[in-house]
Coordinates of all heavy atoms in Angstrom, one line a residue:
M1 N 1.0 58.3 4.9 CA 1.8 57.1 4.9 C 1.9 56.5 3.5 O 0.9 56.4 2.8 CB 1.1 56.0 5.8 CG 2.0 54.8 6.0 SD 1.3 54.0 7.5 CE 2.0 52.5 7.2
P2 N 3.2 56.4 3.0 CA 3.4 55.9 1.6 C 2.9 54.5 1.4 O 3.0 53.7 2.3 CB 4.9 56.0 1.4 CG 5.5 56.1 2.7 CD 4.5 56.6 3.7
Q3 N 2.4 54.3 0.2 CA 1.8 52.9 -0.1 C 3.0 52.0 -0.5 O 3.8 52.4 -1.3 CB 0.8 53.1 -1.2 CG 0.0 51.8 -1.4 CD -1.1 52.1 -2.4 OE1 -0.9 52.9 -3.3 NE2 -2.2 51.4 -2.2
Q4 N 2.9 50.8 0.1 CA 4.0 49.8 -0.2 C 3.8 49.2 -1.7 O 2.6 49.0 -2.0 CB 3.9 48.7 0.8 CG 4.2 49.1 2.2 CD 5.5 48.6 2.7 OE1 6.1 47.7 2.1 NE2 6.0 49.2 3.8
P5 N 4.8 49.0 -2.4 CA 4.7 48.4 -3.7 C 4.2 47.0 -3.6 O 4.6 46.3 -2.7 CB 6.1 48.5 -4.3 CG 7.0 48.6 -3.2 CD 6.3 49.3 -2.1
K6 N 3.3 46.6 -4.5 CA 2.8 45.2 -4.5 C 3.8 44.3 -5.1 O 4.3 44.5 -6.2 CB 1.5 45.1 -5.2 CG 0.4 45.8 -4.5 CD -0.9 45.4 -5.1 CE -2.1 46.1 -4.3 NZ -3.3 45.6 -4.7
L7 N 4.1 43.3 -4.3 CA 5.1 42.2 -4.8 C 4.3 41.2 -5.5 O 3.1 40.9 -5.2 CB 5.8 41.6 -3.6 CG 6.7 42.5 -2.8 CD1 7.3 41.8 -1.6 CD2 7.8 43.1 -3.7
P8 N 4.8 40.6 -6.6 CA 4.1 39.5 -7.3 C 3.9 38.3 -6.4 O 4.8 37.9 -5.6 CB 5.0 39.2 -8.5 CG 6.3 39.7 -8.1 CD 6.1 40.8 -7.1
R9 N 2.8 37.7 -6.4 CA 2.5 36.5 -5.6 C 3.1 35.3 -6.2 O 3.0 35.1 -7.4 CB 1.0 36.3 -5.5 CG 0.3 37.5 -4.8 CD -1.2 37.2 -4.6 NE -1.4 36.4 -3.5 CZ -2.5 35.9 -3.1 NH1 -3.6 36.2 -3.7 NH2 -2.6 35.2 -2.0
P10 N 3.7 34.5 -5.4 CA 4.3 33.3 -6.0 C 3.2 32.3 -6.5 O 2.2 32.2 -5.9 CB 5.1 32.7 -4.9 CG 4.5 33.3 -3.6 CD 4.0 34.6 -4.0
T11 N 3.5 31.6 -7.6 CA 2.5 30.6 -8.0 C 2.6 29.4 -7.1 O 3.7 29.0 -6.7 CB 2.8 30.2 -9.5 OG1 4.2 29.7 -9.5 CG2 2.7 31.4 -10.4
P12 N 1.4 28.8 -6.8 CA 1.4 27.7 -5.9 C 2.0 26.5 -6.6 O 2.0 26.3 -7.8 CB 0.0 27.4 -5.6 CG -0.8 28.1 -6.7 CD 0.1 29.3 -7.2
I13 N 2.6 25.6 -5.8 CA 3.3 24.4 -6.4 C 2.2 23.3 -6.2 O 1.7 23.0 -5.2 CB 4.5 24.0 -5.6 CG1 5.6 25.1 -5.7 CG2 5.1 22.7 -6.0 CD1 6.8 25.0 -4.8
Q14 N 1.9 22.6 -7.3 CA 1.0 21.5 -7.3 C 1.8 20.2 -7.1 O 2.6 19.8 -7.9 CB 0.2 21.4 -8.6 CG -0.7 20.3 -8.7 CD -1.9 20.4 -7.7 OE1 -2.4 21.4 -7.5 NE2 -2.2 19.3 -7.0
L15 N 1.5 19.5 -6.0 CA 2.2 18.3 -5.7 C 1.3 17.1 -6.3 O 0.1 17.2 -6.4 CB 2.3 18.0 -4.2 CG 3.1 19.1 -3.5 CD1 3.1 18.8 -2.0 CD2 4.5 19.1 -3.9
A16 N 2.0 16.1 -6.8 CA 1.3 15.0 -7.4 C 0.7 14.1 -6.3 O 1.3 13.8 -5.4 CB 2.3 14.2 -8.2
L17 N -0.6 13.9 -6.5 CA -1.3 13.1 -5.5 C -1.0 11.6 -5.7 O -1.0 10.8 -4.8 CB -2.8 13.3 -5.5 CG -3.2 14.7 -5.1 CD1 -4.7 14.9 -5.3 CD2 -2.9 14.9 -3.7
F18 N -0.9 11.2 -7.0 CA -0.7 9.8 -7.4 C 0.6 9.7 -8.1 O 1.0 10.5 -8.9 CB -1.8 9.3 -8.3 CG -3.2 9.5 -7.7 CD1 -4.0 10.6 -8.0 CD2 -3.6 8.7 -6.7 CE1 -5.2 10.8 -7.5 CE2 -4.9 8.9 -6.1 CZ -5.7 9.9 -6.5
A19 N 1.3 8.6 -7.8 CA 2.6 8.4 -8.4 C 2.5 8.2 -9.9 O 1.6 7.5 -10.4 CB 3.3 7.2 -7.7
E20 N 3.4 8.8 -10.6 CA 3.4 8.6 -12.1 C 4.6 7.7 -12.5 O 4.8 7.4 -13.6 CB 3.5 9.9 -12.8 CG 2.2 10.7 -12.6 CD 2.2 12.0 -13.5 OE1 3.1 12.2 -14.3 OE2 1.2 12.7 -13.3
E21 N 5.4 7.4 -11.5 CA 6.6 6.5 -11.7 C 6.9 5.7 -10.4 O 6.6 6.2 -9.4 CB 7.8 7.2 -12.2 CG 8.3 8.3 -11.3 CD 9.5 9.0 -11.9 OE1 9.4 9.3 -13.1 OE2 10.4 9.3 -11.2
A22 N 7.5 4.6 -10.6 CA 7.8 3.7 -9.4 C 9.0 2.9 -9.8 O 9.2 2.5 -10.9 CB 6.7 2.9 -9.0
A23 N 9.9 2.6 -8.8 CA 11.1 1.7 -9.0 C 11.1 0.8 -7.8 O 11.1 1.2 -6.6 CB 12.3 2.5 -9.1
L24 N 11.1 -0.5 -8.1 CA 11.0 -1.5 -7.1 C 12.2 -2.5 -7.2 O 12.7 -2.7 -8.3 CB 9.7 -2.3 -7.1 CG 8.4 -1.5 -7.1 CD1 7.2 -2.3 -7.4 CD2 8.2 -0.9 -5.7
V25 N 12.6 -3.2 -6.2 CA 13.5 -4.3 -6.2 C 13.0 -5.4 -5.3 O 12.3 -5.2 -4.4 CB 14.9 -3.8 -5.8 CG1 15.5 -2.8 -6.7 CG2 14.9 -3.3 -4.4
R26 N 13.5 -6.6 -5.7 CA 13.2 -7.8 -4.8 C 14.5 -8.6 -4.8 O 14.9 -9.1 -5.8 CB 12.1 -8.6 -5.5 CG 11.7 -9.8 -4.6 CD 10.5 -10.5 -5.2 NE 10.2 -11.7 -4.5 CZ 9.3 -12.6 -4.9 NH1 8.7 -12.5 -6.0 NH2 9.0 -13.6 -4.1
I27 N 15.1 -8.6 -3.6 CA 16.4 -9.3 -3.4 C 16.2 -10.3 -2.4 O 15.9 -10.0 -1.2 CB 17.5 -8.2 -3.1 CG1 17.7 -7.2 -4.2 CG2 18.8 -9.0 -2.8 CD1 18.6 -6.1 -3.9
Q28 N 16.5 -11.6 -2.7 CA 16.5 -12.7 -1.8 C 17.7 -13.5 -2.1 O 17.7 -14.4 -2.9 CB 15.2 -13.5 -2.0 CG 13.9 -12.8 -1.7 CD 12.7 -13.7 -1.9 OE1 12.7 -14.6 -2.7 NE2 11.6 -13.3 -1.2
P29 N 18.8 -13.3 -1.3 CA 20.1 -14.0 -1.6 C 20.0 -15.5 -1.4 O 20.6 -16.2 -2.2 CB 21.0 -13.4 -0.5 CG 20.4 -12.2 0.0 CD 18.9 -12.3 -0.2
E30 N 19.1 -16.0 -0.5 CA 19.0 -17.4 -0.3 C 18.4 -18.1 -1.5 O 18.6 -19.3 -1.7 CB 18.2 -17.7 0.9 CG 16.7 -17.3 0.9 CD 16.4 -15.9 1.2 OE1 17.4 -15.1 1.5 OE2 15.2 -15.5 1.2
R31 N 17.7 -17.4 -2.4 CA 17.1 -17.9 -3.6 C 17.8 -17.4 -4.8 O 17.4 -17.7 -6.0 CB 15.6 -17.6 -3.7 CG 14.8 -18.2 -2.6 CD 13.4 -17.9 -2.7 NE 12.8 -18.4 -3.9 CZ 11.7 -18.0 -4.5 NH1 11.0 -17.0 -3.9 NH2 11.2 -18.5 -5.6
N32 N 18.9 -16.7 -4.7 CA 19.7 -16.1 -5.8 C 18.8 -15.2 -6.6 O 18.9 -15.3 -7.8 CB 20.4 -17.2 -6.6 CG 21.4 -16.6 -7.5 OD1 22.0 -15.5 -7.3 ND2 21.7 -17.3 -8.6
M33 N 17.9 -14.5 -6.0 CA 17.0 -13.6 -6.7 C 17.4 -12.1 -6.5 O 17.5 -11.7 -5.4 CB 15.6 -13.8 -6.1 CG 14.5 -13.0 -6.8 SD 12.9 -13.2 -6.0 CE 12.6 -14.9 -6.2
Q34 N 17.6 -11.5 -7.6 CA 17.9 -10.0 -7.6 C 17.1 -9.4 -8.8 O 17.6 -9.4 -9.9 CB 19.3 -9.8 -7.8 CG 20.2 -10.4 -6.6 CD 21.7 -10.1 -6.9 OE1 22.1 -9.7 -7.9 NE2 22.4 -10.4 -5.9
R35 N 15.9 -8.9 -8.5 CA 15.0 -8.4 -9.6 C 14.8 -6.9 -9.4 O 14.8 -6.4 -8.3 CB 13.7 -9.2 -9.6 CG 13.9 -10.6 -9.9 CD 12.5 -11.3 -9.9 NE 12.7 -12.7 -10.1 CZ 11.7 -13.6 -10.0 NH1 10.5 -13.2 -9.6 NH2 11.9 -14.9 -10.2
F36 N 14.5 -6.3 -10.5 CA 14.0 -4.9 -10.5 C 12.7 -4.8 -11.3 O 12.4 -5.6 -12.2 CB 15.1 -3.9 -11.1 CG 15.3 -4.1 -12.6 CD1 14.5 -3.3 -13.4 CD2 16.2 -4.9 -13.1 CE1 14.7 -3.3 -14.8 CE2 16.4 -5.0 -14.5 CZ 15.7 -4.2 -15.3
Y37 N 12.0 -3.8 -11.0 CA 10.7 -3.5 -11.8 C 10.5 -2.0 -11.7 O 10.4 -1.4 -10.7 CB 9.5 -4.2 -11.1 CG 8.4 -4.4 -12.0 CD1 8.2 -5.6 -12.7 CD2 7.4 -3.5 -12.2 CE1 7.2 -5.9 -13.5 CE2 6.3 -3.7 -13.1 CZ 6.2 -4.9 -13.7 OH 5.2 -5.1 -14.6
R38 N 10.4 -1.4 -12.9 CA 10.2 0.1 -13.0 C 9.0 0.3 -13.9 O 8.8 -0.4 -14.9 CB 11.4 0.8 -13.6 CG 12.6 0.8 -12.7 CD 13.7 1.8 -13.3 NE 14.1 1.4 -14.6 CZ 15.2 0.7 -14.9 NH1 15.9 0.2 -13.9 NH2 15.5 0.4 -16.1
M39 N 8.2 1.3 -13.5 CA 7.1 1.8 -14.3 C 7.0 3.3 -14.3 O 7.4 3.9 -13.4 CB 5.8 1.2 -13.6 CG 5.7 -0.2 -13.5 SD 4.1 -0.7 -12.7 CE 4.5 -0.3 -11.0
E40 N 6.5 3.8 -15.4 CA 6.2 5.2 -15.5 C 5.1 5.5 -16.5 O 4.9 4.7 -17.5 CB 7.5 6.0 -15.9 CG 7.9 5.8 -17.3 CD 9.1 6.8 -17.6 OE1 8.9 8.0 -17.6 OE2 10.1 6.2 -17.9
V41 N 4.3 6.5 -16.3 CA 3.3 6.9 -17.2 C 3.9 8.0 -18.1 O 4.5 9.0 -17.6 CB 2.1 7.5 -16.4 CG1 1.0 8.0 -17.4 CG2 1.5 6.4 -15.5
S42 N 3.8 7.9 -19.4 CA 4.3 8.9 -20.3 C 3.3 9.0 -21.5 O 2.3 8.4 -21.5 CB 5.7 8.5 -20.7 OG 5.7 7.3 -21.5
R43 N 3.8 9.7 -22.5 CA 2.9 9.9 -23.7 C 3.7 9.3 -24.9 O 4.9 9.4 -25.0 CB 2.6 11.3 -24.0 CG 1.7 11.9 -22.9 CD 1.0 13.1 -23.4 NE 0.1 13.6 -22.4 CZ -1.2 13.3 -22.3 NH1 -1.6 12.4 -23.2 NH2 -2.0 13.7 -21.4
D44 N 3.0 8.7 -25.9 CA 3.7 8.3 -27.1 C 3.7 9.4 -28.1 O 3.4 10.5 -27.8 CB 3.0 7.0 -27.6 CG 1.6 7.3 -28.1 OD1 1.1 8.4 -28.0 OD2 0.9 6.3 -28.5
L45 N 4.2 9.1 -29.3 CA 4.3 10.1 -30.3 C 3.0 10.8 -30.7 O 3.0 11.9 -31.3 CB 5.0 9.5 -31.6 CG 6.4 9.1 -31.4 CD1 6.9 8.4 -32.6 CD2 7.3 10.3 -31.1
F46 N 1.9 10.1 -30.5 CA 0.6 10.6 -30.9 C -0.1 11.3 -29.7 O -1.3 11.7 -29.9 CB -0.3 9.5 -31.5 CG 0.4 8.8 -32.6 CD1 1.0 7.5 -32.5 CD2 0.6 9.4 -33.8 CE1 1.6 6.9 -33.5 CE2 1.2 8.8 -34.9 CZ 1.8 7.6 -34.7
G47 N 0.5 11.4 -28.6 CA -0.1 12.1 -27.4 C -0.9 11.2 -26.5 O -1.6 11.7 -25.6
R48 N -1.0 9.9 -26.8 CA -1.8 9.0 -26.0 C -1.0 8.6 -24.7 O 0.2 8.6 -24.7 CB -2.1 7.7 -26.7 CG -3.0 8.0 -28.0 CD -3.3 6.7 -28.7 NE -2.0 6.2 -29.2 CZ -1.8 5.4 -30.2 NH1 -2.9 5.0 -30.9 NH2 -0.6 5.0 -30.6
A49 N -1.7 8.3 -23.7 CA -1.1 7.9 -22.4 C -0.6 6.4 -22.5 O -1.3 5.6 -23.0 CB -2.1 8.0 -21.3
V50 N 0.6 6.2 -22.0 CA 1.2 4.9 -22.1 C 1.8 4.6 -20.8 O 2.5 5.4 -20.2 CB 2.3 4.8 -23.2 CG1 3.0 3.5 -23.2 CG2 1.7 5.1 -24.6
L51 N 1.6 3.3 -20.3 CA 2.3 2.9 -19.1 C 3.5 2.0 -19.6 O 3.4 1.0 -20.2 CB 1.4 2.0 -18.2 CG 2.0 1.4 -17.0 CD1 2.5 2.5 -16.1 CD2 1.0 0.5 -16.3
V52 N 4.7 2.5 -19.3 CA 5.9 1.9 -19.7 C 6.4 1.0 -18.5 O 6.6 1.5 -17.4 CB 7.0 2.9 -20.0 CG1 8.3 2.2 -20.4 CG2 6.6 3.8 -21.1
R53 N 6.5 -0.3 -18.7 CA 7.0 -1.2 -17.6 C 8.3 -1.9 -18.1 O 8.4 -2.3 -19.2 CB 5.9 -2.3 -17.4 CG 4.6 -1.7 -17.1 CD 3.5 -2.6 -16.7 NE 3.4 -3.9 -17.4 CZ 2.5 -4.8 -17.1 NH1 1.7 -4.7 -16.0 NH2 2.4 -5.9 -17.8
H54 N 9.3 -1.8 -17.2 CA 10.6 -2.4 -17.5 C 11.0 -3.2 -16.3 O 10.9 -2.8 -15.1 CB 11.5 -1.2 -17.6 CG 12.9 -1.5 -18.1 ND1 14.0 -0.7 -17.9 CD2 13.3 -2.6 -18.8 CE1 15.0 -1.3 -18.5 NE2 14.7 -2.4 -19.0
W55 N 11.4 -4.5 -16.6 CA 11.7 -5.4 -15.5 C 12.8 -6.4 -15.9 O 13.1 -6.5 -17.1 CB 10.4 -6.2 -15.1 CG 10.0 -7.2 -16.1 CD1 10.3 -8.5 -16.2 CD2 9.1 -7.0 -17.2 NE1 9.8 -9.2 -17.2 CE2 9.0 -8.2 -17.9 CE3 8.5 -5.9 -17.7 CZ2 8.2 -8.4 -19.0 CZ3 7.7 -6.0 -18.9 CH2 7.6 -7.2 -19.5
G56 N 13.4 -7.0 -14.9 CA 14.4 -8.0 -15.2 C 15.3 -8.3 -14.0 O 15.0 -7.8 -12.9
R57 N 16.4 -9.0 -14.2 CA 17.4 -9.2 -13.2 C 18.3 -8.0 -13.1 O 18.7 -7.4 -14.1 CB 18.2 -10.5 -13.5 CG 19.2 -10.9 -12.5 CD 19.8 -12.3 -12.8 NE 20.8 -12.6 -11.9 CZ 20.6 -13.2 -10.7 NH1 19.4 -13.6 -10.4 NH2 21.7 -13.5 -9.9
L58 N 18.7 -7.7 -11.9 CA 19.6 -6.6 -11.7 C 20.9 -6.8 -12.4 O 21.4 -7.9 -12.4 CB 19.9 -6.4 -10.2 CG 18.8 -5.8 -9.3 CD1 19.1 -5.8 -7.9 CD2 18.6 -4.3 -9.8
G59 N 21.4 -5.8 -13.1 CA 22.6 -6.0 -13.9 C 22.4 -6.3 -15.3 O 23.4 -6.4 -16.1
T60 N 21.2 -6.6 -15.7 CA 20.9 -6.9 -17.1 C 20.0 -5.8 -17.8 O 19.5 -4.9 -17.1 CB 20.1 -8.3 -17.2 OG1 18.8 -8.1 -16.6 CG2 20.9 -9.4 -16.5
R61 N 19.8 -5.9 -19.1 CA 18.9 -4.9 -19.8 C 17.5 -5.1 -19.4 O 16.7 -4.2 -19.4 CB 19.1 -5.1 -21.3 CG 20.4 -4.4 -21.8 CD 20.4 -4.6 -23.3 NE 19.2 -4.0 -23.9 CZ 19.0 -4.0 -25.2 NH1 19.9 -4.5 -26.0 NH2 18.0 -3.4 -25.7
G62 N 17.1 -6.3 -19.2 CA 15.7 -6.6 -18.8 C 14.8 -6.6 -20.0 O 15.2 -6.6 -21.2
R63 N 13.5 -6.5 -19.8 CA 12.5 -6.5 -20.8 C 11.7 -5.2 -20.6 O 11.6 -4.7 -19.5 CB 11.6 -7.7 -20.7 CG 12.5 -9.0 -20.9 CD 11.6 -10.2 -20.9 NE 10.8 -10.2 -22.1 CZ 9.9 -11.1 -22.4 NH1 9.7 -12.1 -21.6 NH2 9.2 -11.1 -23.5
Q64 N 10.9 -4.9 -21.7 CA 10.1 -3.7 -21.6 C 8.8 -3.9 -22.3 O 8.7 -4.7 -23.2 CB 10.8 -2.5 -22.3 CG 10.1 -1.2 -22.2 CD 10.9 -0.1 -22.7 OE1 12.1 -0.1 -22.8 NE2 10.2 1.0 -23.1
R65 N 7.7 -3.3 -21.7 CA 6.4 -3.5 -22.3 C 5.7 -2.1 -22.2 O 5.8 -1.4 -21.2 CB 5.6 -4.5 -21.5 CG 4.2 -4.6 -21.9 CD 3.5 -5.7 -21.0 NE 2.1 -5.7 -21.3 CZ 1.3 -6.7 -20.9 NH1 1.8 -7.7 -20.2 NH2 0.0 -6.6 -21.2
L66 N 5.0 -1.8 -23.3 CA 4.2 -0.5 -23.4 C 2.7 -0.8 -23.4 O 2.3 -1.6 -24.3 CB 4.6 0.3 -24.6 CG 6.1 0.6 -24.8 CD1 6.3 1.3 -26.2 CD2 6.6 1.5 -23.7
D67 N 2.0 -0.3 -22.5 CA 0.5 -0.6 -22.4 C -0.2 0.7 -22.7 O -0.1 1.7 -21.9 CB 0.1 -1.1 -21.1 CG 0.7 -2.5 -20.8 OD1 0.9 -3.3 -21.7 OD2 1.0 -2.8 -19.6
P68 N -0.9 0.9 -23.8 CA -1.6 2.1 -24.1 C -2.9 2.2 -23.3 O -3.6 1.2 -23.0 CB -1.9 2.1 -25.6 CG -2.0 0.6 -25.9 CD -1.0 -0.1 -24.9
Y69 N -3.3 3.5 -22.9 CA -4.5 3.7 -22.1 C -5.2 4.9 -22.7 O -4.6 5.8 -23.4 CB -4.2 4.0 -20.6 CG -3.8 2.7 -19.9 CD1 -2.5 2.3 -19.8 CD2 -4.8 1.9 -19.4 CE1 -2.1 1.1 -19.2 CE2 -4.4 0.7 -18.7 CZ -3.1 0.3 -18.7 OH -2.8 -0.8 -18.0
P70 N -6.5 5.0 -22.6 CA -7.3 6.1 -23.2 C -7.0 7.5 -22.6 O -7.1 8.5 -23.3 CB -8.8 5.8 -22.9 CG -8.8 4.8 -21.8 CD -7.4 4.1 -21.9
D71 N -6.5 7.5 -21.3 CA -6.2 8.8 -20.7 C -5.1 8.6 -19.6 O -5.0 7.5 -19.1 CB -7.4 9.5 -20.2 CG -8.2 8.7 -19.2 OD1 -7.6 8.5 -18.0 OD2 -9.3 8.3 -19.5
P72 N -4.4 9.6 -19.2 CA -3.4 9.5 -18.1 C -4.0 9.0 -16.8 O -3.3 8.2 -16.1 CB -2.8 10.9 -17.9 CG -3.2 11.6 -19.2 CD -4.4 11.0 -19.7
G73 N -5.2 9.3 -16.5 CA -5.8 8.8 -15.2 C -5.9 7.3 -15.2 O -5.7 6.6 -14.2
A74 N -6.3 6.7 -16.3 CA -6.4 5.2 -16.4 C -5.1 4.6 -16.3 O -4.9 3.6 -15.7 CB -7.1 4.8 -17.7
A75 N -4.1 5.2 -16.9 CA -2.7 4.7 -16.8 C -2.2 4.7 -15.4 O -1.5 3.8 -14.9 CB -1.8 5.4 -17.8
I76 N -2.5 5.8 -14.7 CA -2.0 6.0 -13.3 C -2.8 4.9 -12.4 O -2.2 4.3 -11.5 CB -2.3 7.4 -12.8 CG1 -1.3 8.3 -13.5 CG2 -2.2 7.5 -11.3 CD1 -1.6 9.8 -13.2
N77 N -4.0 4.7 -12.7 CA -4.8 3.7 -11.9 C -4.2 2.3 -12.1 O -4.0 1.5 -11.2 CB -6.3 3.6 -12.3 CG -7.0 4.8 -11.8 OD1 -6.5 5.5 -10.9 ND2 -8.1 5.1 -12.4
A78 N -3.8 2.0 -13.4 CA -3.2 0.7 -13.7 C -1.8 0.6 -13.0 O -1.5 -0.5 -12.4 CB -3.0 0.5 -15.2
L79 N -1.0 1.7 -13.0 CA 0.3 1.7 -12.3 C 0.1 1.4 -10.8 O 0.8 0.6 -10.2 CB 0.9 3.0 -12.5 CG 2.3 3.2 -11.9 CD1 3.2 4.1 -12.7 CD2 2.3 3.8 -10.5
A80 N -0.9 2.0 -10.2 CA -1.2 1.8 -8.7 C -1.6 0.4 -8.5 O -1.2 -0.2 -7.5 CB -2.3 2.8 -8.3
A81 N -2.4 -0.2 -9.3 CA -2.8 -1.6 -9.1 C -1.6 -2.6 -9.3 O -1.5 -3.5 -8.4 CB -3.9 -2.0 -10.2
I82 N -0.8 -2.4 -10.2 CA 0.4 -3.2 -10.4 C 1.4 -3.0 -9.3 O 1.9 -4.0 -8.8 CB 1.1 -2.9 -11.8 CG1 0.2 -3.3 -12.9 CG2 2.4 -3.6 -11.9 CD1 0.6 -2.8 -14.3
L83 N 1.5 -1.8 -8.8 CA 2.4 -1.5 -7.7 C 1.9 -2.2 -6.4 O 2.7 -2.8 -5.7 CB 2.4 0.0 -7.4 CG 3.4 0.6 -6.5 CD1 4.8 0.2 -7.0 CD2 3.3 2.1 -6.5
R84 N 0.6 -2.2 -6.1 CA 0.1 -3.0 -5.0 C 0.4 -4.5 -5.1 O 0.8 -5.1 -4.2 CB -1.4 -2.8 -4.9 CG -1.8 -1.5 -4.2 CD -3.3 -1.5 -3.9 NE -4.2 -1.7 -5.0 CZ -4.6 -0.7 -5.8 NH1 -4.2 0.5 -5.6 NH2 -5.4 -1.0 -6.8
A85 N 0.2 -5.1 -6.3 CA 0.4 -6.5 -6.5 C 1.9 -6.8 -6.4 O 2.2 -7.8 -5.7 CB -0.1 -6.9 -7.9
K86 N 2.8 -6.0 -6.9 CA 4.2 -6.3 -6.7 C 4.7 -6.2 -5.3 O 5.5 -7.0 -4.8 CB 5.0 -5.3 -7.6 CG 4.9 -5.5 -9.1 CD 5.4 -6.8 -9.5 CE 5.2 -7.1 -10.9 NZ 5.7 -8.4 -11.3
R87 N 4.1 -5.2 -4.5 CA 4.5 -5.1 -3.1 C 4.0 -6.3 -2.3 O 4.6 -6.8 -1.4 CB 3.9 -3.8 -2.5 CG 4.7 -2.6 -3.0 CD 4.2 -1.3 -2.4 NE 5.0 -0.2 -2.8 CZ 4.6 1.0 -2.9 NH1 3.3 1.3 -2.7 NH2 5.4 2.0 -3.2
R88 N 2.8 -6.9 -2.7 CA 2.3 -8.1 -2.0 C 3.3 -9.3 -2.3 O 3.4 -10.2 -1.5 CB 0.9 -8.4 -2.5 CG -0.2 -7.7 -1.8 CD -1.5 -8.3 -2.0 NE -1.9 -8.4 -3.5 CZ -2.6 -7.5 -4.2 NH1 -3.0 -6.5 -3.6 NH2 -2.8 -7.7 -5.4
R89 N 3.9 -9.3 -3.5 CA 4.8 -10.3 -3.8 C 6.2 -10.2 -3.3 O 7.1 -11.0 -3.5 CB 4.9 -10.5 -5.3 CG 3.6 -10.8 -5.9 CD 3.7 -11.6 -7.2 NE 4.6 -12.7 -7.1 CZ 4.9 -13.5 -8.1 NH1 4.4 -13.3 -9.2 NH2 5.8 -14.5 -7.9
G90 N 6.5 -9.1 -2.5 CA 7.8 -9.0 -1.9 C 8.7 -7.9 -2.4 O 9.8 -7.7 -1.9
Y91 N 8.2 -7.2 -3.4 CA 9.0 -6.1 -4.0 C 9.0 -4.9 -3.0 O 8.0 -4.7 -2.3 CB 8.5 -5.6 -5.3 CG 8.9 -6.5 -6.5 CD1 8.2 -7.6 -6.8 CD2 10.0 -6.2 -7.3 CE1 8.5 -8.5 -7.8 CE2 10.4 -7.0 -8.3 CZ 9.6 -8.1 -8.6 OH 10.0 -8.9 -9.6
Q92 N 10.1 -4.2 -2.9 CA 10.2 -3.0 -2.0 C 10.6 -1.8 -2.9 O 11.3 -2.0 -3.9 CB 11.2 -3.3 -0.9 CG 10.9 -4.4 0.0 CD 12.0 -4.7 0.9 OE1 13.1 -4.3 0.8 NE2 11.7 -5.6 1.9
D93 N 10.3 -0.6 -2.4 CA 10.7 0.6 -3.1 C 12.2 0.7 -3.1 O 12.9 0.4 -2.1 CB 10.2 1.8 -2.3 CG 8.7 1.9 -2.5 OD1 8.1 1.5 -3.5 OD2 8.0 2.4 -1.5
R94 N 12.7 1.0 -4.3 CA 14.2 1.1 -4.5 C 14.7 2.4 -3.8 O 14.2 3.5 -4.0 CB 14.5 1.2 -5.9 CG 16.0 1.2 -6.2 CD 16.2 1.1 -7.7 NE 17.6 1.0 -7.9 CZ 18.2 0.8 -9.0 NH1 17.5 0.5 -10.1 NH2 19.5 0.7 -9.1
R95 N 15.7 2.3 -3.0 CA 16.4 3.4 -2.4 C 17.4 4.0 -3.3 O 18.3 3.3 -3.8 CB 17.0 3.0 -1.1 CG 15.9 2.6 -0.1 CD 16.6 2.1 1.2 NE 15.6 1.7 2.2 CZ 15.2 0.4 2.3 NH1 15.7 -0.5 1.5 NH2 14.3 0.1 3.2
S96 N 17.4 5.3 -3.5 CA 18.4 5.9 -4.4 C 19.7 6.1 -3.8 O 19.9 6.4 -2.7 CB 17.9 7.3 -4.9 OG 16.6 7.3 -5.2

């Protein structure tokens, strides 16, 4: 019986366990409130982990803040904590 050629094994796909970015909105027409809040973990020019936070009223440029962290894990933990606090205040995940 001839031997079958070996096919290359596909490389496994690593799924992210923790969110590295989030987009939230809070819309309350009765209070004329239309806000957005976006966050993402990235690196600065020197390779350090930075949590980029961008917020404001929908339709405007909004404001931006960069928070440096010693490593990406600490930045992801901070993102998760802020995300929990924003959801408690009424923000919801933005639907694309």
Side-chain angles (χ1 to χ4, degrees):
M1 189 159 159
Q3 194 174 29
Q4 298 248 347
K6 289 192 175 190
L7 298 174
R9 296 182 83 180
T11 56
I13 298 171
Q14 178 64 44
L15 300 175
L17 294 176
F18 304 101
E20 293 186 7
E21 60 184 39
L24 305 168
V25 292
R26 183 176 178 190
I27 299 173
Q28 294 179 335
E30 65 278 1
R31 295 181 63 196
N32 194 23
M33 182 185 299
Q34 299 178 351
R35 297 180 181 171
F36 71 90
Y37 203 94
R38 287 191 304 264
M39 298 180 285
E40 71 174 296
V41 175
S42 66
R43 296 201 174 270
D44 65 3
L45 292 174
F46 304 106
R48 296 177 298 205
V50 176
L51 178 59
V52 180
R53 304 188 317 176
H54 190 202
W55 71 92
R57 184 173 172 87
L58 286 171
T60 66
R61 282 182 57 181
R63 300 182 70 180
Q64 185 171 338
R65 176 177 171 168
L66 304 173
D67 296 327
Y69 287 91
D71 58 70
I76 290 172
N77 289 341
L79 183 145
I82 294 169
L83 194 57
R84 280 191 304 274
K86 290 296 178 185
R87 285 181 176 150
R88 277 195 305 266
R89 296 210 47 183
Y91 281 84
Q92 299 175 347
D93 292 328
R94 183 175 184 170
R95 294 178 183 91
S96 318

